[in-house]
Amino acid sequence: MSQDIPVEDIITETEYAIKRLQYNKNTRIDYDSAAELQAHITGALKSAKPPKNNISKDERDALYTLRKYRGITILPADKDRATIVLDPEQYDRKINALLDSGETYVKLKKDPTKTYQNKLIKLLKDFKSEGNLSDYKYSKLYPSSCCVPSFYGLPKVHKEGAPLRPIVSSINSVTYESAKYLADILNVLIGKSEHHIKKTESFVEHIKTLCLEPGEIQISYDVSALFTSIPVDSAVEVAKDLLEKDTSWKVKTELTADQVIQLLEFCLSTTYFVFRGQYYQQCGGCTMGSPVSPVIANLYMEHFESIALRNSPVKPSVWLRYVDDTYVILRETDVDIFTEHINSQNTHIKFTSEPEVDKHLALLDTKVTRNVDGTLSISIYRKPTHTDQYLHFDSHHPIAHKLSVIRTLFYRAEIAVTDPEERVKEVEHI
C-alpha cells in the first residue's frame, strides 16, 4: 500500500463537504463553524502517520517485479475476486476482436476531449443563467481537469473461453460528475414495476411461497451485451416520458425535465475512449463504466418488459428481473414460443435462456430448487470460480468494514436460505 497520506484529496473533499453544508438550507453552517471544522481537519492531518505497511519487503519486491514484467498481463476477473494471468498476445487478440468488429466501435482521428469539454461548459452555463443550477452544483459539475476515458476488458472466467467484458473507465472524465448527478436524479424512477428485483432479499420474498404447477419449469433469461445493446434514442424517450409523469425526481434537482434530458443526451452521446494511444467512439448503447448507464438500462428494460409481456402469445406465471437477469416460471411447452417472442421485440435486445438443470436454477447469488410437490427451496449459490475472498483481516480497512462483511454474510444466510439444514451448512461455511 502507499505510504503517503492523501492530504490534498482530504482537504479538497473537506472543502466540498463544507460547501454542501453551506448551500443546503437544512444543514447550513456559519462561517465560524466551517473555519473550526477546517482547523480540526488540518490539525489531524499534521499529526497523522501512515499505518505500518501490511506486506513484507519480499512481497513488495515480487509485486514490483511482476508489474514490470511484460511477458504476462495481470487482471482482476469480472466477478468473484479472482486474479487472472494472461498471455499479452491473447489479451490483445480478445480486445482487438471487440474493437475491430466495426459494429460497436469506430476509430477517431484525434482526441475529442476539448470539444466535449466546451460543449458541457456551455450547457452548464445555460442552466445556471436560467436559474436552475446553483453556484455549488455548477462548480461540482464543471469539467475542469478532464481525463480521457480508458478502455479495458475483464475476463469472464465463469464462462467458456473467458470472453472479456468491455469496460470504459470514465472516472474524472468530462461527463463523470454529470453522469453521477443524473444517476441520482433518475434512480428514483426505477423499481415502479411489479417485476423489478432490487436485491436478493426481495427476490427471495417474491418466490419463497410459490408453487409450480405440473408442466411448469424454471428458466432464466439474460440479455446479451445489455449496455452496448440499449437503443439510446428509445431509452431517452422512456426517461423523458417518466420525468413528465412522475415528479418524485424534483426533490433531487432544480433542473427542469427538458434540462435533465439535454444533459442526459449529452452524457450518453459522449462515449469516446482511448486504448493504447488510439481514440475510439462507441457507435451505440451505453458505456459500461458511466454512472448513469445502469440506471438507463434499468429504465429501458422496465419499458421493454411491459410491452413484451403484454403482447406475448403465451404468458409466464412469473417474470422477475434484476437489470437483465430474469427469473421466469413458464409451461415447458411454451418456452420456444416465448423465447422467440421476446427476441423479436427489438433488433438490439437479444436474450439467451438457461432452463433449470436437475430441478435447480441459479440466479443472482441463490440456487432455487424445485421440490417434488412444486414448492421451492432456496440456498446460497457460488460459481465454481468463486474464491470466498472478501477482505483480508490484516488489510488497513477499518475494523467496522471487516465486521460488516461477516454480519452481511450471516444476514444473507438468514434471509436467503429457506431450509434449516441448508442454513446450518451455510453458517458452517461462513
Side-chain angles (χ1 to χ4, degrees):
M1 65 164 284
S2 170
Q3 291 300 291
D4 297 325
I5 294 174
V7 174
E8 186 176 326
D9 290 344
I10 293 171
I11 290 174
T12 301
E13 287 303 316
T14 301
E15 290 174 352
Y16 272 134
I18 289 171
K19 283 183 180 179
R20 279 200 300 273
L21 292 172
Q22 289 174 330
Y23 281 106
N24 189 323
K25 62 182 180 182
N26 296 321
T27 59
R28 191 169 290 157
I29 61 172
D30 56 34
Y31 176 83
D32 290 339
S33 298
E36 185 180 355
L37 176 59
Q38 286 177 312
H40 276 303
I41 297 294
T42 303
L45 288 172
K46 284 182 178 178
S47 60
K49 295 180 180 179
K52 184 180 178 181
N53 205 309
N54 60 352
I55 62 174
S56 68
K57 182 180 181 303
D58 287 343
E59 289 170 327
R60 287 198 302 275
D61 290 345
L63 290 171
Y64 180 74
T65 303
L66 285 171
R67 187 169 58 187
K68 288 186 66 176
Y69 181 51
R70 301 302 177 193
I72 56 173
T73 296
I74 304 174
L75 296 163
D78 179 48
K79 294 177 181 176
D80 300 326
R81 293 183 59 83
T83 300
I84 310 304
V85 179
L86 284 176
D87 182 296
E89 291 184 4
Q90 183 186 15
Y91 178 70
D92 287 352
R93 281 198 302 272
K94 292 186 176 188
I95 286 286
N96 291 331
L98 292 171
L99 293 177
D100 297 339
S101 65
E103 297 178 0
T104 308
Y105 309 103
V106 294
K107 291 182 179 180
L108 299 176
K109 293 182 179 179
K110 61 179 183 178
D111 180 1
T113 301
K114 193 64 179 176
T115 301
Y116 286 133
Q117 186 178 19
N118 291 336
K119 286 182 178 180
L120 180 56
I121 291 171
K122 182 181 183 307
L123 198 60
L124 296 175
K125 282 182 176 178
D126 290 343
F127 295 165
K128 186 181 176 185
S129 67
E130 292 166 16
N132 300 117
L133 202 63
S134 67
D135 289 340
Y136 166 72
K137 186 55 70 175
Y138 176 79
S139 65
K140 184 71 173 173
L141 301 183
Y142 189 93
S144 49
S145 66
C146 301
C147 298
V148 179
S150 58
F151 183 88
Y152 61 96
L154 296 181
K156 301 180 186 179
V157 292
H158 57 288
K159 294 191 176 182
E160 187 174 349
L164 299 181
R165 183 186 298 280
I167 307 291
V168 178
S169 175
S170 63
I171 296 173
N172 296 328
S173 67
V174 171
T175 60
Y176 184 66
E177 290 298 332
S178 294
K180 283 204 301 182
Y181 183 45
L182 287 169
D184 188 50
I185 295 169
L186 297 173
N187 199 51
V188 300
L189 303 175
I190 294 174
K192 305 297 175 73
S193 165
E194 61 180 308
H195 306 291
H196 176 78
I197 300 172
K198 186 177 181 180
K199 53 186 178 180
T200 298
E201 185 175 358
S202 59
F203 173 62
V204 173
E205 281 299 313
H206 271 96
I207 71 166
K208 67 181 182 181
T209 58
L210 295 178
C211 185
L212 275 68
E213 298 291 336
E216 288 186 325
I217 65 164
Q218 305 175 94
I219 186 168
S220 67
Y221 285 97
D222 176 64
V223 180
S224 300
L226 173 66
F227 281 51
T228 55
S229 300
I230 294 292
V232 171
D233 291 343
S234 299
V236 170
E237 284 299 316
V238 170
K240 184 177 181 180
D241 186 53
L242 288 171
L243 288 169
E244 291 171 352
K245 291 179 179 177
D246 186 340
T247 60
S248 59
W249 58 274
K250 290 189 175 182
V251 299
K252 296 285 187 176
T253 181
E254 294 179 349
L255 297 179
T256 65
D258 286 341
Q259 289 170 335
V260 171
I261 292 301
Q262 286 181 63
L263 190 58
L264 179 63
E265 287 176 328
F266 178 79
C267 288
L268 294 180
S269 63
T270 311
T271 53
Y272 77 106
F273 57 86
V274 66
F275 180 74
R276 298 199 175 155
Q278 173 64 55
Y279 295 93
Y280 293 84
Q281 182 83 36
Q282 187 170 309
C283 301
C286 303
T287 56
M288 180 166 283
S290 170
V292 78
S293 292
V295 181
I296 289 300
N298 245 319
L299 290 176
Y300 181 76
M301 288 305 298
E302 285 187 8
H303 169 76
F304 175 93
E305 74 188 1
S306 67
I307 296 174
L309 294 174
R310 184 169 63 245
N311 298 333
S312 179
V314 294
K315 307 292 184 183
S317 59
V318 174
W319 170 283
L320 297 171
R321 180 186 51 80
Y322 178 82
V323 189
D324 65 327
D325 290 329
T326 311
Y327 175 82
V328 178
I329 296 177
L330 188 66
R331 292 193 65 82
E332 191 167 9
T333 53
D334 292 338
V335 170
D336 291 341
I337 298 171
F338 184 72
T339 303
E340 183 179 349
H341 167 72
I342 59 174
N343 278 330
S344 67
Q345 299 301 293
N346 188 292
T347 55
H348 301 280
I349 305 297
K350 299 299 176 186
F351 289 84
T352 58
S353 61
E354 190 173 319
E356 63 179 58
V357 176
D358 296 330
K359 301 181 180 180
H360 301 300
L361 183 73
L363 189 87
L364 304 180
D365 54 354
T366 66
K367 181 173 72 173
V368 186
T369 302
R370 177 162 55 95
N371 302 318
V372 176
D373 61 356
T375 58
L376 299 173
S377 296
I378 306 162
S379 57
I380 301 301
Y381 173 74
R382 294 177 177 84
K383 293 183 177 71
T385 53
H386 186 75
T387 61
D388 266 336
Q389 292 183 27
Y390 297 95
L391 283 180
H392 197 291
F393 198 78
D394 288 336
S395 73
H396 288 305
H397 288 82
I399 188 67
H401 291 186
K402 299 168 188 174
L403 295 176
S404 71
V405 170
I406 301 167
R407 281 196 296 269
T408 299
L409 292 173
F410 277 115
Y411 177 71
R412 183 178 67 166
E414 182 64 30
I415 60 102
V417 183
T418 55
D419 182 82
E421 291 185 7
E422 286 295 323
R423 190 177 298 127
V424 169
K425 290 179 183 179
E426 178 63 20
V427 168
E428 287 175 351
H429 181 85
I430 296 170

